Structure formats: C-alpha cells, structure tokens
Amino acid sequence: MSSRSSSHSHTGRIDKLDFDSHRKPTSTHNGSGASSPHGLLRDDESLLSNVVDGVLERDRRKMKREVVKYLSFASAILSCLCAGSITAYSVYGYLFQSRLQYTQFQVNEVSIAAELGMYLPVPLFGYLCDRYNPRPISLLSAFLFGPAYLLAAFAYHQGPPAHGGWPFGVMVLAFVGIGMGTSCMYLSAVTTCAKNFGRGKHKGLALAIPIAAFGLSGMWQSQVGSRLLYEEDAKGIAGDVDVFRFFLFLAGTLFAAGLLGVIGLRVVDEEELIDEAVEELERSGLLEESDFFQRSILYESNGYGTISSQHHLSSEDLTLLKAHEEEEERKKTWLLNAETRRFLADPTMWFLAGGFFLVTGPGEAFINNLGTIIGTLYPPPSSAPPSNSAATHVSIIALTSTCARLITGTLTDLLAPNAPSHKLSASTSSLSLSLSGEPKRFTLSRVSFLLASTLLLTLAFLLLASPFIATHPSLFPLVSALAGTGYGAVFSLTPILISVVWGVQNFGTNWGIIAMMPAGGAAVWGAVYSVVYQGHVREGAVLCFGRGCYEGTAWAMGGCGVLAMGLWAWAWRGREGWVERGIAV
C-alpha cells in the first residue's frame, strides 16, 4: 500500500496497481514501473476490444440459434404437409371393394392395420425423439413410407386375390408400414416444434401450425390423385383415381420428405430445457432423495464442471471432460425417466387419455369410411355427384380441420391463462399475481375450447344418425365440416394441454403415450361400423344402401362424445384436477 501511495504522490496519477493488485506494471521506455498515458490507453482499448468481441460473438451465436430454430420450424411444416397421406384413404378405399373384391370387413382391416401401425409404436418413437433427437426418426419414416407404398402399389396392380392377385395379407402389411411411417414423420416434426417453442408465449400456435399442416396433407394429396392421377374411359373422360400411379407418387414424395427432415429437424438449446426441469424438480424437493443427484453433487464438488472452460486440455483433463459429458447424459436420462413416471402416475392423464380414446376412435372410423357412407346414400342407378364425392369430403374435412387447428392454437395463446411454470403451486401463482399489480385480463381455459370442439364433433354424428341427411344427401358437407372442425381442434388442443400440464422436456414420450389411444378406438369403431354395415347388406350383394347401414354406429359415436366431455371436465375441475392443483390450463 505504501508503494502505491508514493507512486500516486510522485506522479499525480492513479496507477493500475491502485485498483488491481494482480496486474503487472506496464513497461515503459525508461524501464520504470510507472505507467505512461499511452500504455494505459492501449490497455483500455484492449479491454474494450475484448468486451466488444465477446458481445458480437454472443449475438452471432444467438442469431445462429434463431436461424436454426426457424429453419427447423419450416422443415417441420414441410414434413407434416406430406405425412398425413393416410387421411386420403377414403379416396381409394372404396375401390378396394370394386376392383380387388375386398369385403367391407377387409377394407376396414386395411385401414385398421394402418391405424395400429400409426398409433401403437408412438411411445417408442417419442422415447427415441426425447433420448436422442428427431432426425433419425425422420430417416426411419423415409424407409418405411417408400417401400410400403411401393408394395401397396404392386399389390393393387396385381388385381383381386381370387383371380391370381397377391394375397390380402400383403396389402395389410403394406399399410402397417404406411402407418408407422406416418407416426415417425409426424412425431419427429411436432416434437421438434414443441421443444424449440414450448417455452415461449406462442407455443399454442407453434404446435397448431404443423398439426394443421398434417391435416392439409390429405387434402392436397387427394386432389392430386383425383385431378391429375386419374383413370380415363374410352372417351377420355376422367374417372376414379388411378390407385397404382397414386401410390407410386406417394412413395417417391414421402421418401424425399423423410430425407429432408434428416437435414432440417434440429432441437435448439435442449440442454437448457433439461437444466430448467432439473431446477424445478430441485425446488420441489424431489432431487434430495435421488441417488443419482447425490452422485451428481459429489461429482460437481470435485470441479469437473470447470474443465470445459480450459483452452488447452491435458490428457487427464480430457478424461475428466468425457466423464462430465457422460454424467450430463445420465442426468438427462434420469430426468426423462422421472418425468415419464410422474406422467403415468397422474390420474388426470388417464382421464385425458380416456376422453381422447372416445373421441378419436369414432373420428378415425368416420374419416376412413367416408366413401362407403356416401355410397349408401345413392342406391343404383343413381350415383354421387362430384360435389358429394369422397375426394370432395376429404378436402372439406382437411380444410375445416386445418382452420380449426390454427384458430384454436391462436386463440388459446391469446385467451388462455398464463403461468410462469407448470409445476408452480396454486399459492405461489396467486401470490405472484397479487404482487404484480397488473389488471386482470379476460381468460378462457384451453379445456373450454376442447369441450366446445368435442361438442361440434358430437353434433356431426347425431346429425348423421338422424333421418335428415338420408333424405337430403346434398347436405352431407355439413356433417363433414362439423366433424373436421371438431376432430381437428381436439387433435390440436390435446398436445398443447400436455405441454402445459406436464412440460415439454419429455413431450415426445408423453404425447406418444396419449397418441396410442386412437389405435384402439379406430379398431373398435371400424369393427362396429363393419358389423352394422354388413348386417344390412342384402343377401348375395356386396354393397349396402340406406340409412340403416350406419345409423346405429352414428348414434353410439355421438354418445362417446358426451362421455368424453364428462371425463375432461372432471380432469379439469374435479377432485385433484388441474384447477385444484393450481395449473393454469
């Protein structure tokens, strides 16, 4: 201190050593330890330059992350725009009856095989998306879609099995692959969006857009089939879709889309997601009882976490760095496993899943059998006009479904109550609101939108069951519009609810578990529809005509919608429901 004081008194200036005892004195021309004004200026310029370089580098990294995030979003939309080819099944499903001589049972078996392939493996694909990343799943979709549609194309081209064509089981096998490809491409895209945008204020819209694109895929593909890839009669007039060429087109398109997803689908800052989830679990007190995190605390106390900041690493440091990375990977695995257990142990999850089963099963069965339902309204010698064709109704459902998904995603972002975290307690949330001093805004729960959407779908089934549509077939588009709106909104709101209630860090697995429900629902209701349909077929005939072909099934589907609304209302406002637990849904 004395040396500093003397230096100050003799020079009249404050030396750098007066405020930093660890800095070495700047050498001068006279060899003394005193600093010249030019030396101090150069030192300040160097410090400022380092600060500016650091800020610029940080901004470049942030910009790069944003660019990658939005390019991934665009890639996810492109994947979803191609993935929903199975929703165009009604465009050609009825041709399996007339061209391949399949029974109605067999036509539904093919669609059910696709549903089972699409929904049953979803938890596995979601698990792989969470533990690794979505890109390998997109690659898998390419190698499922391509061969499966090629197999279906040549099975159709060979003709009826009774006349030397390929066995019925070949077509079933092909559609299992198509269903699995659909699941892979859709889930890889939606999981990417959920992880990249799930923490933002527009998470509803970020999930609704790719899900809406999935609904649009059936529309544009059915239009390509019916308007470009059609059969011509002897006079050159367009007829039914050319199923063989349509399947070849889908094989090439979806194979290319899967490969593009490998390049474009990237999750940004996943480490931050994991660290934030760990901190929330730590605040909840769950981590203190974990053997893994007891090891992690010991591990961090040994200083391993500081190695990555070193520029020159020795072999010992590299070994410790590798151990640190392995520990981080184990932390991620532990966290995701804990989140899965918490999800499965939550009773409200089962109410949500049960309602999803009751709604999506009838919805899938209705969409898959549109062609045969419309056919029952036009007994020979009449036939459905182009305005009431299966392709037209697939497009109506796709458009209304897309609009419903976009509208509900946007409105829930604007009107749904906000919460800083899905794990905060009710008392904490109320305290934060009271201290903020902000005026209360009008809010409407996401569950309210879900119940309203289910009501629209239920009305569609009840309208179909009534005598009104049978006597006025030209109004069938009203049924398709109501069904598309309700069904699309339910499929958009359910994953949004999952991300809000249980978070996004394990979204792929959680949504995959819920998304299994339509597999069972489609199988049950496809079988029910087939039994009712076949029960009203006249002896010696193949096709059914009249209201009785579908009436009983439609009444039962409407009842399922009412029951689903009851389950969701209980999960929302019942005992130990989301409202009671303080979760802002």
Side-chain angles (χ1 to χ4, degrees):
M1 290 297 292
S2 60
S3 63
R4 298 182 193 180
S5 302
S6 61
S7 173
H8 173 65
S9 61
H10 291 159
T11 63
R13 294 188 303 273
I14 299 176
D15 192 88
K16 287 177 290 199
L17 293 176
D18 287 327
F19 58 84
D20 190 351
S21 60
H22 298 289
R23 295 282 297 273
K24 294 182 180 180
T26 307
S27 59
T28 60
H29 295 292
N30 58 10
S32 66
S35 301
S36 68
H38 299 291
L40 183 59
L41 181 60
R42 285 194 302 271
D43 201 54
D44 289 342
E45 289 176 347
S46 177
L47 178 62
L48 180 61
S49 177
N50 290 337
V51 171
V52 171
D53 289 343
V55 171
L56 290 175
E57 179 63 25
R58 182 194 63 193
D59 289 344
R60 278 194 293 267
R61 288 197 300 266
K62 183 178 180 181
M63 178 62 70
K64 182 180 179 181
R65 288 197 298 269
E66 290 298 310
V67 170
V68 171
K69 182 185 294 186
Y70 282 97
L71 286 177
S72 296
F73 186 62
S75 179
I77 293 174
L78 179 61
S79 293
C80 286
L81 275 173
C82 297
S85 61
I86 191 62
T87 59
Y89 184 78
S90 295
V91 174
Y92 54 83
Y94 67 97
L95 295 175
F96 288 172
Q97 281 183 300
S98 58
R99 305 292 175 82
L100 300 183
Q101 299 179 3
Y102 291 173
T103 66
Q104 181 61 46
F105 276 114
Q106 289 177 315
V107 172
N108 273 284
E109 282 179 35
V110 173
S111 66
I112 289 170
E115 303 286 349
L116 294 176
M118 181 164 56
Y119 292 118
L120 288 183
V122 173
L124 173 61
F125 297 146
Y127 177 91
L128 294 176
C129 281
D130 288 331
R131 269 60 179 182
Y132 302 99
N133 63 74
R135 285 178 288 166
I137 308 303
S138 183
L139 179 63
L140 179 59
S141 72
F143 286 94
L144 285 169
F145 267 133
Y149 268 118
L150 286 176
L151 184 62
F154 286 99
Y156 181 87
H157 191 62
Q158 294 300 313
H163 295 84
W166 289 0
F168 170 70
V170 175
M171 188 66 79
V172 172
L173 177 63
F175 272 81
V176 169
I178 291 168
M180 294 177 68
T182 303
S183 176
C184 286
M185 189 172 288
Y186 167 80
L187 192 61
S188 62
V190 174
T191 300
T192 299
C193 295
K195 289 181 180 289
N196 283 340
F197 297 95
R199 293 176 294 171
K201 60 180 180 180
H202 299 301
K203 55 177 169 285
L205 188 60
L207 282 175
I209 290 176
I211 294 173
F214 180 81
L216 277 178
S217 59
M219 183 198 72
W220 75 262
Q221 288 164 358
S222 65
Q223 292 302 314
V224 167
S226 60
R227 297 181 182 273
L228 298 178
L229 303 174
Y230 53 80
E231 299 173 339
E232 295 182 354
D233 60 16
K235 298 180 181 179
I237 299 176
D240 295 317
V241 62
D242 187 331
V243 178
F244 177 68
R245 288 197 297 153
F246 185 52
F247 282 173
L248 292 180
F249 162 75
L250 292 176
T253 301
L254 295 171
F255 183 80
L259 295 182
L260 286 175
V262 177
I263 301 172
L265 297 176
R266 296 178 181 272
V267 177
V268 180
D269 294 334
E270 188 177 17
E271 296 80 5
E272 292 184 11
L273 281 176
I274 299 300
D275 290 339
E276 289 178 4
V278 168
E279 290 173 4
E280 289 179 350
L281 287 176
E282 191 174 25
R283 286 195 298 269
S284 69
L286 297 178
L287 299 190
E288 296 178 358
E289 301 176 0
S290 168
D291 293 337
F292 169 80
F293 277 92
Q294 290 176 2
R295 295 198 310 270
S296 180
I297 293 171
L298 177 62
Y299 175 83
E300 293 176 359
S301 68
N302 289 332
Y304 294 174
T306 63
I307 293 173
S308 60
S309 62
Q310 304 299 323
H311 297 287
H312 303 286
L313 300 177
S314 64
S315 59
E316 182 180 356
D317 289 340
L318 287 172
T319 301
L320 294 177
L321 179 59
K322 183 179 180 181
H324 175 66
E325 292 173 349
E326 292 175 353
E327 193 74 5
E328 287 294 312
E329 186 63 29
R330 285 196 294 270
K331 178 173 74 173
K332 175 182 176 180
T333 301
W334 180 91
L335 172 71
L336 296 180
N337 290 339
E339 291 286 348
T340 302
R341 288 192 296 269
R342 189 173 68 89
F343 180 72
L344 293 174
D346 191 338
T348 60
M349 184 279 290
W350 295 103
F351 289 121
L352 180 64
F356 199 61
F357 171 87
L358 292 170
V359 168
T360 56
E364 293 280 348
F366 173 77
I367 294 172
N368 290 337
N369 292 284
L370 260 178
T372 56
I373 294 174
I374 294 170
T376 64
L377 304 176
Y378 296 94
S382 62
S383 61
S387 60
N388 227 14
S389 66
T392 299
H393 286 280
V394 169
S395 297
I396 291 173
I397 289 176
L399 282 174
T400 54
S401 174
T402 299
C403 292
R405 293 172 185 186
L406 292 175
I407 291 171
T408 53
T410 303
L411 289 179
T412 53
D413 281 342
L414 295 174
L415 299 178
N418 296 323
S421 171
H422 67 279
K423 297 183 181 71
L424 288 179
S425 64
S427 58
T428 305
S429 178
S430 301
L431 179 62
S432 64
L433 289 174
S434 62
L435 293 178
S436 64
E438 296 181 358
K440 287 187 176 181
R441 64 182 180 91
F442 174 75
T443 60
L444 194 60
S445 172
R446 296 174 179 89
V447 184
S448 299
F449 287 96
L450 184 64
L451 295 176
S453 303
T454 308
L455 179 61
L456 292 179
L457 183 61
T458 302
L459 289 176
F461 294 142
L462 297 180
L463 182 60
L464 178 63
S466 70
F468 189 71
I469 296 299
T471 55
H472 300 84
S474 60
L475 296 178
F476 196 89
L478 179 60
V479 176
S480 296
L482 287 172
T485 302
Y487 185 76
V490 167
F491 246 98
S492 176
L493 290 166
T494 303
I496 293 173
L497 274 173
I498 291 171
S499 69
V500 170
V501 178
W502 294 283
V504 299
Q505 60 275 0
N506 202 41
F507 175 83
T509 303
N510 294 347
W511 172 225
I513 292 171
I514 297 291
M516 288 178 62
M517 299 301 116
V524 170
W525 287 103
V528 170
Y529 173 78
S530 297
V531 169
V532 174
Y533 184 97
Q534 288 294 141
H536 288 80
V537 174
R538 293 180 180 178
E539 186 176 354
V542 175
L543 301 179
C544 179
F545 299 99
R547 179 179 162 218
C549 302
Y550 59 81
E551 179 188 4
T553 307
W555 283 118
M557 287 176 172
C560 282
V562 175
L563 184 57
M565 287 189 285
L567 291 177
W568 286 336
W570 182 261
W572 179 29
R573 294 203 171 262
R575 183 179 178 183
E576 297 184 0
W578 298 324
V579 171
E580 185 176 304
R581 287 153 53 182
I583 300 174
V585 293

